[in-house]
Amino acid sequence: MESFAKLKRRGTDLLNSLPQNLPSMPHLPHLQRPGAGSPTMKGTWQHISIPPLPRSSHSLDVVASNAYIFGGEVEPRKPVDNDMHVVVLPSSGASADYYAVKAKPSPKQHLSEKSSAPITEEDETEAQLKDPLSDVDLGSPPPAEAEEPSSATSDKRETKSLDSQVPCPRMGHATAVIGSRIFLFGGRSAESSSEPLDEGGRVWVFETKTHTWSYLDPYRNSPIPPPRSYFAAVATDKPRDFAIKPLRRASSWKEWAEGDSAEVGIPQRPIAGNVAAHATDEEDAGFGTFIIHGGCTAGGGRTGDVWAFDVRSCTWKELPSAPGPARGGAALAIAKGRLYRFGGYDGTQELGGQLDVLELAVDEFDDRVSKGEIGVFARGEWQTLLPPVTSAPPPSAEETAKLVPTEEWPGSRSVSSLELVLGGGGREYLVLMLGEQSPSSQGHAGAGRFWDDVWAFQIPPIGMTAASVTDAFLQAVGRKTGEGRWMRVTPRPYDEENALDAQGPGPRGWIASAPLGDLEENAILIFGGLSEDNTRLGDGWIFRLE
């Protein structure tokens, strides 16, 4: 038997003789160790070279690689114009471009108004004479004069602004995108600079395909939200899968055998142009839901309510109000069927320190003949996420222990940006940036202090994605993940040699922002805003989360 020392030496020599170029074993991604400081992420800022368009309290939307800027103010409480300013975003090495579109009504709006002419008293009398069941009492509801109006229904449906076929110049409004259309609500005009516009619940629609305006008035029995300005809006494309009308049953064997061959022909002899002649655009009938929250109401008040406008049925529906004080200038985003809200201004101070969440769901039906989606509703009440805290030991025996946060959270703010972007592995992040830190002593006529920071909140994954599998494994082995946490983002220039990129947008608030969507899933565009020296800014920036 060989001695233990000799066996140990032979084993060491054998290991040393192995080749040094073997492939390395896979390793887990580096994670921040507990107690090693707050986790951070990285991003870049890129300046967009376009003619300056100084303004604040405006709106910004991105559709098909184009940014659409509407409204705003350069001088306090004086809207600039009602042109739609379009910025062609830089892509594939091409620089940005800019042009303006004058407001003009959609020809479809005139056709729909002619087809839906008001019914006169003579028309009703003639219809009753032709109806053999007009004398039969079917227990119809009492006349409209006997009904008590709903508290949410406005009594001021006919206003001066309703006579226009295009939206008037305004500020403090909010917009959101459904499909290729931009939906707009609320705001203040030059005539009502101290009060929000009362348009009877009307929602304006900008057609990006034709560069024309139309509008959707609420159905006559629909409740409507109070007029408001300086509020937040988001949108979802649900409901979209509506019930398909059942096919008409053939009245004879011949009709069943021929089918639709008289219209489309047969495979050997098809009728050209039939498909195009009967093609329809789903946006003409409408789909999706436009959601608004909070804002400044008439008489200097504020609200924390939430309203959803169903585009297809043209009806407003009130959702559960958000928790906390009524506010304006809150940041709102929608992701994975949930509404997320952060911050705002309650008339005294900026709000923050919590992230409020409302889960949404789609109501569906199935009568065994057809099935489809009906509308969006809230599943329960709002939930509030607070920073985790721990008990810190008292500095002396006379003092009591205090609760201190264990994670770094964004500071309180309003009129900021909160947008959804996609990261690697299927992860989704809410990016919060900029905004007002403290108000001005001069009110809306002055400028307060602003933030210049960027934060990212990792949304909990839903479904089987690479991100959900990775996070589940890490949690199983007791490792922390970024799920459900705020992380500070450290930005750097997109182009190190570009002086403007290196400078960054700087502190500002009253901005407008929008995600770039399919153009760049990890990017957000911000435009304009107000600086700390009370100057309206007219530059554009693209932020990319790395």
Side-chain angles (χ1 to χ4, degrees), residues 209-502:
K209 296 178 181 178
T210 60
H211 288 173
T212 57
W213 284 98
S214 61
Y215 56 84
L216 298 174
D217 284 333
Y219 188 68
R220 59 179 179 270
N221 293 330
S222 169
I224 60 175
R228 65 194 63 206
S229 59
Y230 303 109
F231 59 102
V234 294
T236 174
D237 62 353
K238 298 293 184 179
R240 188 169 188 172
D241 299 328
F242 300 101
I244 300 177
K245 294 182 179 180
L247 297 176
R248 184 176 63 87
R249 191 168 185 176
S251 59
S252 64
W253 283 104
K254 179 181 179 182
E255 184 179 354
W256 174 82
E258 291 179 350
D260 58 353
S261 59
E263 298 178 0
V264 301
I266 60 177
Q268 293 79 7
R269 293 182 180 179
I271 300 177
N274 178 77
V275 175
H278 294 83
T280 58
D281 187 352
E282 64 175 343
E283 291 189 342
D284 291 340
F287 64 89
T289 305
F290 179 68
I291 303 173
I292 63 173
H293 162 63
C296 301
T297 56
R302 289 174 176 82
T303 181
D305 57 359
V306 182
W307 289 79
F309 181 78
D310 185 88
V311 176
R312 191 179 184 88
S313 64
C314 292
T315 55
W316 284 99
K317 176 173 60 178
E318 187 171 9
L319 302 179
S321 297
R327 66 194 68 188
L332 191 69
I334 185 169
K336 294 187 181 297
R338 301 187 186 102
L339 281 178
Y340 292 86
R341 184 194 70 168
F342 188 90
Y345 180 71
D346 64 358
T348 304
Q349 61 182 354
E350 316 293 338
L351 302 173
Q354 64 184 53
L355 182 65
D356 303 306
V357 186
L358 177 65
E359 186 172 357
L360 303 177
V362 180
D363 195 8
E364 300 177 344
F365 80 97
D366 185 356
D367 59 1
R368 297 185 179 181
V369 177
S370 61
K371 62 180 180 179
E373 298 172 344
I374 300 176
V376 173
F377 68 96
R379 181 174 291 174
E381 298 293 327
W382 285 81
Q383 305 295 324
T384 298
L385 303 180
L386 299 171
V389 295
T390 185
S391 179
S396 62
E398 291 78 12
E399 298 183 11
T400 58
K402 296 182 179 180
L403 296 178
V404 295
T406 58
E407 294 179 5
E408 189 179 13
W409 268 51
S412 301
R413 68 192 68 204
S414 65
V415 291
S416 58
S417 168
L418 182 66
E419 302 292 349
L420 174 69
V421 299
L422 296 181
R427 289 187 174 89
E428 293 184 342
Y429 296 90
L430 292 176
V431 178
L432 175 71
M433 63 180 76
L434 311 179
E436 187 175 75
Q437 181 178 168
S438 59
S440 169
S441 58
Q442 302 176 7
H444 195 70
R449 295 182 57 195
F450 299 107
W451 295 97
D452 64 348
D453 54 353
V454 182
W455 294 81
F457 179 84
Q458 183 179 333
I459 298 176
I462 296 180
M464 293 298 295
T465 64
S468 63
V469 173
T470 302
D471 291 343
F473 173 76
L474 294 176
Q475 292 175 359
V477 298
R479 304 292 293 273
K480 287 187 176 182
T481 67
E483 176 183 328
R485 302 177 63 188
W486 283 107
M487 290 171 282
R488 182 184 291 272
V489 180
T490 303
R492 60 179 179 83
Y494 181 76
D495 184 357
E496 298 287 350
E497 299 180 357
N498 189 310
L500 292 176
D501 289 3

